[in-house]
Amino acid sequence: MQKAAIAVKEAVPELIVIADTCLCEYTNHVHCGYLDVGDLIGRVLNQPTLELLKKTAVSQAKAGVDIIAASGIMDGFVQAIRTGLDEGGFEDLPILSYAAKYAFAYYGPFGDAADSAPQFGDRRTYQMDPGNAREAIKEIELDIAEGADMLMVKPALSYMDIIWRVKEASNVPVAAYIPVNTP
Ligand SMILES: [Zn+2]
């Protein structure tokens, strides 16, 4: 991904490159971080995962990306990568947080196509509860306090109410993510 970012910025310097910062692209079980050995539910070990995500974000920054998209939704993710980026000399690089991210059937075909459906368990232990809209507001307040510059709602199509709530409750740009395979 970093090599692709370098190539894109060389070919079209004015194009904005947003790096998806997560680990599920690289783990063989396709969960978003380190798991406890033998944990078949898919609970991610927060602290060691944050350390690795921090290094990932700095590496992407060095590759020249314009925006870091914090797509893993571990507790403290935004703060961890903000700290890493600041320490690495990338104080000005903005963070787009996937503050409101829900498990949804849309991801089924997407995951199959990307070969990224979890091998066991699912991501519900770290994605949000669709029936609890107020949780989204709690998450975005935390993320803004941790240094998020923009917020993402995903998937957008079935969460218009959340987009509205997030916009009402914040004063940063709000992005809507529509998975490509959405009918
Ligand atoms: Zn992930």
Side-chain angles (χ1 to χ4, degrees):
M1 198 160 116
Q2 282 83 336
K3 284 181 181 172
I6 291 167
V8 169
K9 291 307 277 189
E10 267 170 19
V12 197
E14 67 274 22
L15 200 69
I16 299 291
V17 175
I18 304 177
D20 184 291
T21 307
C22 196
L23 303 175
C24 45
E25 300 95 314
Y26 312 108
T27 55
N28 59 357
H29 46 65
V30 203
H31 282 288
C32 295
Y34 286 116
L35 302 183
D36 222 342
V37 176
D39 183 351
L40 296 181
I41 301 170
R43 264 183 300 246
V44 163
L45 293 172
N46 216 68
Q47 210 49 44
T49 298
L50 289 182
E51 287 306 312
L52 194 51
L53 285 166
K54 200 165 143 181
K55 287 186 200 164
T56 307
V58 172
S59 163
Q60 291 168 332
K62 286 179 180 162
V65 307
D66 301 287
I67 298 172
I68 296 291
S71 105
I73 43 176
M74 315 301 133
D75 288 342
F77 186 10
V78 173
Q79 187 168 42
I81 54 176
R82 183 72 272 159
T83 306
L85 291 171
D86 290 354
E87 286 168 1
F90 299 100
E91 297 92 345
D92 294 335
L93 209 66
I95 296 173
L96 163 63
S97 168
Y98 284 52
K101 189 174 178 185
Y102 296 91
F104 200 79
Y106 287 163
Y107 300 147
F110 174 79
D112 289 346
D115 202 17
S116 69
Q119 307 296 301
F120 51 85
D122 56 40
R123 297 196 178 99
R124 277 176 213 162
T125 60
Y126 42 95
Q127 289 184 333
M128 289 166 39
D129 174 8
N132 184 1
R134 281 182 297 179
E135 188 187 21
I137 305 309
K138 188 178 129 198
E139 290 294 332
I140 65 155
E141 284 170 353
L142 283 172
D143 279 8
I144 290 174
E146 289 181 23
D149 301 288
M150 289 168 260
L151 301 168
M152 177 83 92
V153 177
K154 176 183 176 184
L157 204 57
S158 47
Y159 288 96
M160 303 286 195
D161 58 324
I162 301 295
I163 294 173
W164 179 79
R165 277 172 183 264
V166 169
K167 194 67 205 166
E168 283 292 294
S170 69
N171 54 8
V172 298
V174 177
Y177 187 115
I178 301 178
V180 283
N181 58 293
T182 302

